[in-house]
Amino acid sequence: MKQLIVIDTNVILSALQSNKGKSFELISKISNDVFDFAISVPLILEYEAVLKGKLDRTIFTDSDIEDFINYLCKVGIKTKLFYLWRPYLKDPFDDHILEVTIQSNAGTIVTYNKKDFREAENLEIRILTPKEFLETLQEV
């Protein structure tokens, strides 16, 4: 059975900024049917806003970013949020990531900001970096 994860925005951004790191390796495996990832409307809106605000716009056009977001929407597991867990985390801007994780029954959040999700571990959610998550795929 494939793992279901939620990918934090910082991992998506990092993957598109460099093709040399673990975040790029993780995103490259999306099409390989190795794991599933959950998305929600607030998460997709955040992906889009951050990518449009922080990517090198001489390399990525609005159309490029929108095509990538559309791809994520096509292959991601769409999750409707019925119950909000706010406020739960120290950073209120991360609560929507926790909400999609809980609602989708994903067991893992993949992020570079592990400390921001410490409280989620009380809910038996694993908080892993891209490198740590990729290592779990090798164990299977």
Side-chain angles (χ1 to χ4, degrees):
M1 185 168 159
K2 289 190 291 185
Q3 294 185 61
L4 178 61
I5 65 172
V6 174
I7 305 171
D8 194 2
T9 308
N10 58 44
V11 175
I12 299 288
L13 177 63
S14 177
L16 295 179
Q17 288 175 322
S18 171
N19 63 0
K20 296 182 180 10
K22 293 297 180 182
S23 55
F24 183 82
E25 184 180 338
L26 174 80
I27 298 305
S28 298
K29 291 187 183 300
I30 286 175
S31 62
N32 294 349
D33 206 32
V34 176
F35 61 87
D36 286 322
F37 67 100
I39 56 174
S40 66
V41 171
L43 185 56
I44 289 296
L45 291 173
E46 180 180 270
Y47 286 170
E48 183 177 29
V50 169
L51 296 180
K52 285 184 174 180
K54 296 194 174 183
L55 284 176
D56 183 343
R57 299 316 296 273
T58 62
I59 298 172
F60 293 96
T61 65
D62 276 353
S63 180
D64 294 332
I65 294 168
E66 289 162 9
D67 288 346
F68 179 72
I69 295 293
N70 287 338
Y71 171 72
L72 294 179
C73 290
K74 180 179 178 187
V75 299
I77 305 296
K78 291 148 199 74
T79 306
K80 291 183 181 177
L81 303 179
F82 296 104
Y83 182 79
L84 302 181
W85 282 74
R86 299 167 197 214
Y88 190 84
L89 301 172
K90 279 185 188 174
D91 183 349
F93 292 108
D94 288 330
D95 280 326
H96 71 282
I97 294 170
L98 177 63
E99 291 163 356
V100 71
T101 304
I102 292 169
Q103 191 68 42
S104 67
N105 291 316
T108 304
I109 296 172
V110 180
T111 183
Y112 283 115
N113 295 330
K114 289 176 69 168
K115 66 178 175 35
D116 292 348
F117 292 97
R118 235 178 233 127
E119 296 94 342
E121 291 175 334
N122 297 330
L123 302 171
E124 298 184 15
I125 296 170
R126 294 185 313 164
I127 311 302
L128 303 175
T129 64
K131 179 182 180 194
E132 291 167 339
F133 177 71
L134 289 168
E135 288 169 356
T136 70
L137 295 178
Q138 293 171 353
E139 294 169 4
V140 175

